[in-house]
Structures are given as structure tokens and as C-alpha cells.
Amino acid sequence: MLSQRQLALILVAPGLLLVAALFLYPLGFSLISAFTKPDGSLTLDWFAKAYELYSTDIVFTVVIVLASCGLTALAAIVIAGTLTLGENPWIVGTLKALYRWPLFIPFIVAAQCMRTFLAKNGLMNNTFVSLGLMEPLSAVSYLDWRGIIATFVWKQTPFVALLLAGALASIDRATLEAGRNLGASRVRVLVELALPQVMPTLLVALVLSFVTMLSVLSVPMMVAGSQPTMLTVDMAFRINSYGDYATANALGVITYLISAGAAILYLKRGLSKEAAP
Amino acid sequence: MIRLASAARATLAAALLAAFAFVLIGPLANLALWSVAERWYTPFKLPVTYGTRYWEQVFRPTGDAMASLGTSVWIAVLTVVVALALSIPAGYALARLKLPMRALFMVMFLLPQAFPSVAIYINVARVFYQIGINGTVFAVVLVHAAHGLVYSVWIAAAAFAAVDKDLELAARNIGASPLRAFFTVTLPLAAPGIIASGIFVFLESLDEFTGTFFVGVPQVTTLPLLLYNAAMGGNYQVASITALILLVPSVLFMLFIERFLRADVLAKVGA
């Protein structure tokens, strides 16, 4: 007769095996491949090559992802704050109906939308010209770093705003009302009373967004094709054009390092929730 | 004076809301316009001629889109089957049974979400290539299922944790075997959450691009790959129509998710 522990392990094992085979093994492989020569000796050559060829892209990737996370956080705070503390039912209702739309839209669809919307003759510039806000000659294409950031913020804001609005709705209203009664503006109540209470939620949502943005291949490929570009595109290029796994894996290890801080925060949160009764 | 100020504030708020709506809806409107634009070139601000020619081309039974849609749906269905077959037992064990190192196992299922995935996928593709399964539906399903397990295991564990233990005990007291109690009481009560996780895995698989890009090419063409090829080839109409097809399940999901995923289950995700 099986003990309960043995039964539990047997039930969990198949899922764990899949994760081990398709995540842990390739992760280990990428680490080994990035640090070894074909003859098996340890080396940092691949990192030197990655740095030499792609140092601009490394900086570009970090800047894009950080800027996108910052703008996403700002937009999400404005939306979630308005939803929670807004007093005009018409504005709150419209915002509520609108803000969630990009939530389940795939990145590749978002990329295709932005590819046409932000182009030199895209709907955005055309609308500005039609409204008389811009001269036709001053229209420029945003299909570069700005396009990538715009796509990331457009796609991730609803996710962060949804989690944040949920957290804001569940905090004690009495303190917020008290703040209002004492004469604090709504912005002040949001920033000084409400936000500190929901910081953990905001942080987790941003960490998830950070790692997601670092993993997306379609957006940088479709929205901004030229140099500089993001590390995901460089990795795909090293593999598809040269079959150069060593340098691609060195770039991979660099993306792990970029996300390491974020990943530790996320996993710690997962563990602390686990440890809680 | 106060009325003037409040009117100005209301106008400002309305303007901001309109700008927000434009930013949010504009890209989607552009997509919809391209899908019915037969000719659209500069300096025209709107399509020159409208029509459904490209829709007919895409939906022609011999068209690539129908074949890709079929492949996408088939892969998504298989992915759900694999993910649920693995996550129902795992979720039950994590929620109900005494498991040594439970926290570690929960985090193991989170790990794939905590790392940028491109570097993982290129090495999976290399291994699959060595064992000769790269470019098969089987390989794509495995990659999608591993990705989907993060959601399905955590949601399944939450769904089982939300089932009242007393109901199971009651079934056992009137003589049901553990297996019978599971299949007649626990599983049906956890079903809404598990169905929701299945829908989630289905959609993730339908939308997945990066893994398929490395593991599926050149033999397996899903809708996202078709969309990518059409967009990079400059065929904005086909790309936009494919994108709209991909939007349908996502929008339906958004409208229906609240029916499946109850608040008490959501609250227990990760608990």
C-alpha cells in the first residue's frame, strides 16, 4: 500500500518531468554552452564576442524594458487610481469598459496593429494631420525604439492595472475616506495612502511584465526591424544565420542576468505566499 | 468661479479620456481598416477601395489561413489534453496530499515564467533536432504544454483547494472509495476552475509565437507564424485578417472568463 507521500509524489512527477525536460535541461545546457569551448574547457570567449557584437543591443534592451515598465506602472496607477477613487461615474464607467481590451490580445497581434498604426502614414499621424494638429510634412515613423515601448506599454498596462485595481479595491476604505475628509486631494490619497498598501501587488505585476518583455521576439522583429534591436532578435539571428549556439547562449545568460533580480523578487513572493498558512 | 473651474476640469477629463480611447482603440481600428482595404497607399488617409477580396482569399478552402487555423486549433486541443492530464493529478496532490518539499514543487512550476524564454527555446529546438522531432506537431505541443503548465497547475491546485473537504469526507463515510469520491465529488466541484485553466492553456497555445518559431519551422505553420510571414512579406491585408481571427477567441475569453473562474478560486491561486 502506498503512503500518502508516495502517492503525492507519483501524481506530481509527470508534470515535474516535463518542466525538467523542457525547462531545466535546456537552461542547464544554455549555461554550459555559454561557458565552454568545443573541447570542453571553460572559457569566457563567447561573452567577449557577444559583448563586442551586441553591447549596444544589451544597453538598448535594458533601457527599453525599464522604460516600458516605468511607463506601464505610471499608466496602470493612473487607471487603477481613477477606477478606485474616481468620483465621476461616467468617466469611471467608460474607463472600466475600455482599459481591459489589450489584455488578452497576443503580442504578435499587438505588433501587427502597431506596425500599421505608428507608421509614417499610419492612422495615428493621419488622424493628427486631419485634426490639424500636425503638418503632413512633419509626420515621422515611430517604428523604432519608440514603437517597441509603445507596443509593450499598450499590451502590458491592462494586466498591471487589473491586478492593481483589484488590490486597491480590497484595501480598507476607511483610511482613504479619512484622508479625503481631512482635506487631502485624491492624488495625494492615492500616492500617500493607497499606493503604499498595494506596493507588493504592483511589484509582482511589474516583475512579470519585465520578464515577459525580455522574452518577446515578435514585437522587436515586427515593429523595429533595424539596428539597434533587442537581444531576443540577436539570439534568433545567431541561431538562424550562423547556427552559433555558443554566442546565442552567452546572450541568453546575459538576459538571465538582466532578469535575475526580477526573477528573485518573483520567486521569493511565490515562496513567501507558499509559507504563509 | 467654482462652476467654471469644475467645467474646465470636466472638459479636461473628457479630453484625456478621448485621448486614452484613441490610443487604445486606434491600433485595433487600423487593423480592421487594413483587413477591408483592397488598395491603400499614400497620400490617402483612408483606404482607396474597400472590399472583401482578401477575406475570400484567406478563407478559400485551399488558402493557407484555413490550413494554419486547423493546425493551430489541433495543436491547442492536444496541448490542453496534455496540460490537464499532467496538472489535474499534480494540482490535486499539491492541494490535498501531504507532499514533502511542497513549496519547492510549486516554485518549480513557476520557474519557466521567471526566465526569458528565447534562450530556453533555442536549446529545446537543438535537442528536438538531435532526436529528430523538430518540425512536428508533437514537438510544438510539448513546448506549449510545458509553458501552459504554469497556469494549469497553479489554477488546478487553487480549484482543488477551494473544494470543501467535508463533502469528500461525507462521500467517504457513506462508503465511497477514495477514487470514487474524487471522481464523483471533488473533480466535478473543481471543474469550473479546471475548465478555466484549460481555456487559458488553449488560448496561450493559439497565440504562442516564439516557441513555435524555433521548434515548429518549417513544417508546422500556426496562425501566428502565418501572420508573421504575411506581415514581414508586406501583405498587410492577410496579416490583418489573420490577426483579427486570432483576436476572436481572446475577446470571447475576456467576456466569458468571469462565468468560469469564480472569485473564490481566483483568490486561492497561489494560496
Side-chain angles (χ1 to χ4, degrees):
Chain A
M1 199 58 194
L2 287 171
S3 76
Q4 209 190 69
R5 283 170 168 231
Q6 284 165 327
L7 177 68
L9 281 174
I10 289 170
L11 291 177
V12 173
L16 280 179
L17 269 180
L18 192 70
V19 172
L22 293 184
F23 177 75
L24 291 182
Y25 178 75
L27 177 71
F29 194 91
S30 73
L31 290 173
I32 292 167
S33 160
F35 287 104
T36 51
K37 285 184 182 163
D39 63 13
S41 58
L42 287 176
T43 180
L44 287 175
D45 287 0
W46 313 124
F47 285 93
K49 191 174 172 190
Y51 183 77
E52 185 191 328
L53 291 173
Y54 301 112
S55 56
T56 320
D57 289 356
I58 296 172
V59 176
F60 183 78
T61 303
V62 172
V63 170
I64 289 266
V65 173
L66 283 179
S68 303
C69 276
L71 289 172
T72 302
L74 198 67
I77 289 169
V78 172
I79 293 172
T82 311
L83 287 177
T84 321
L85 298 168
E87 280 161 8
N88 182 333
W90 191 78
I91 289 175
V92 172
T94 317
L95 196 61
K96 208 173 191 168
L98 278 180
Y99 89 97
R100 269 200 265 181
W101 278 95
L103 186 60
F104 291 111
I105 291 176
F107 269 104
I108 192 158
V109 174
Q112 175 59 22
C113 288
M114 290 301 180
R115 204 172 143 79
T116 49
F117 185 65
L118 299 175
K120 190 165 179 229
N121 295 296
L123 197 63
M124 188 178 78
N125 281 340
N126 284 346
T127 308
F128 288 160
V129 170
S130 303
L131 290 174
L133 296 172
M134 192 169 76
E135 290 298 315
L137 283 177
S138 55
V140 289
S141 164
Y142 292 92
L143 298 180
D144 47 25
W145 59 276
R146 290 168 296 191
I148 303 181
I149 293 179
T151 314
F152 281 160
V153 174
W154 188 80
K155 171 74 181 82
Q156 286 303 119
T157 297
F159 169 72
V160 179
L162 184 72
L163 291 186
L164 200 59
L168 282 174
S170 67
I171 62 178
D172 184 16
R173 300 287 302 182
T175 45
L176 306 186
E177 302 288 341
R180 290 290 283 152
N181 288 340
L182 288 171
S185 70
R186 270 179 291 166
V187 175
R188 204 163 155 204
V189 167
L190 177 67
V191 173
E192 288 181 15
L193 289 176
L195 271 187
Q197 297 184 56
V198 294
M199 259 313 166
T201 307
L202 179 63
L203 216 58
V204 168
L206 287 178
V207 164
L208 279 174
S209 300
F210 185 92
V211 178
T212 305
M213 290 169 190
L214 265 181
S215 311
V216 175
L217 177 64
S218 53
V219 171
M221 276 205 296
M222 289 171 69
V223 174
S226 57
Q227 291 291 324
T229 189
M230 294 184 73
L231 291 176
T232 45
V233 181
D234 294 330
M235 277 186 262
F237 177 74
R238 293 292 336 154
I239 298 297
N240 291 337
S241 301
Y242 297 107
D244 178 3
Y245 281 88
T247 311
N249 279 322
L251 288 173
V253 171
I254 294 171
T255 65
Y256 302 154
L257 289 177
I258 295 174
S259 72
I264 289 168
L265 270 175
Y266 169 63
L267 292 174
K268 241 173 113 178
R269 170 98 179 141
L271 265 176
S272 67
K273 277 180 108 179
E274 263 306 283
Chain B
M1 198 61 196
I2 291 170
R3 275 183 63 176
L4 205 66
S6 75
R9 279 181 62 161
T11 317
L12 182 70
L16 284 177
L17 203 58
F20 177 72
F22 175 69
V23 167
L24 204 73
I25 307 295
L28 292 169
N30 207 162
L31 190 76
L33 271 177
W34 263 112
S35 75
V36 290
E38 291 201 345
R39 289 190 307 143
W40 188 359
Y41 44 85
T42 46
F44 294 97
K45 293 191 181 65
L46 287 172
V48 185
T49 45
Y50 294 88
T52 54
R53 185 156 63 89
Y54 287 93
W55 282 89
E56 282 155 29
Q57 186 188 323
V58 163
F59 276 98
R60 206 175 290 154
T62 53
D64 289 343
M66 291 314 277
S68 306
L69 179 64
T71 310
S72 274
V73 171
W74 177 228
I75 287 173
V77 168
L78 290 178
T79 301
V80 171
V81 171
V82 173
L84 289 190
L86 298 176
S87 62
I88 291 175
Y92 183 80
L94 289 166
R96 276 290 196 263
L97 301 178
K98 281 198 197 92
L99 190 64
M101 298 182 294
R102 181 174 174 274
L104 179 72
F105 288 139
M106 288 299 266
V107 169
M108 278 281 287
F109 286 110
L110 275 185
L111 270 179
Q113 277 282 309
F115 282 85
S117 53
V118 172
I120 305 292
Y121 286 139
I122 56 181
N123 291 295
V124 169
R126 182 187 170 124
V127 173
F128 280 5
Y129 189 74
Q130 280 167 351
I131 58 175
I133 59 169
N134 223 23
T136 63
V137 167
F138 176 67
V140 176
V141 168
L142 280 184
V143 164
H144 287 191
H147 176 73
L149 271 187
V150 175
Y151 309 105
S152 61
V153 166
W154 276 68
I155 299 179
F160 283 123
V163 173
D164 191 349
K165 264 186 191 155
D166 290 345
L167 295 172
E168 265 172 63
L169 288 176
R172 294 299 304 282
N173 279 342
I174 55 173
S177 68
L179 215 56
R180 181 139 187 230
F182 175 78
F183 279 108
T184 53
V185 179
T186 320
L187 189 60
L189 285 171
I194 289 168
I195 291 172
S197 82
I199 296 175
F200 209 76
V201 171
F202 183 88
L203 284 172
E204 281 288 321
S205 167
L206 214 55
D207 298 341
E208 212 278 340
F209 171 75
T210 315
T212 323
F213 181 79
F214 288 111
V215 167
V217 288
Q219 289 91 342
V220 181
T221 306
T222 56
L223 276 181
L225 281 176
L226 180 80
L227 161 54
Y228 173 72
N229 291 333
M232 297 313 261
N235 194 335
Y236 281 13
Q237 284 90 347
V238 170
S240 301
I241 293 167
T242 316
L244 283 175
I245 299 171
L246 276 175
L247 277 185
V248 173
S250 312
V251 171
L252 286 180
F253 180 61
M254 198 165 73
L255 295 176
F256 284 101
I257 180 152
E258 276 146 22
R259 287 178 60 152
F260 281 105
L261 208 51
R262 305 191 326 255
D264 58 332
V265 172
L266 264 181
K268 281 202 166 66
V269 169

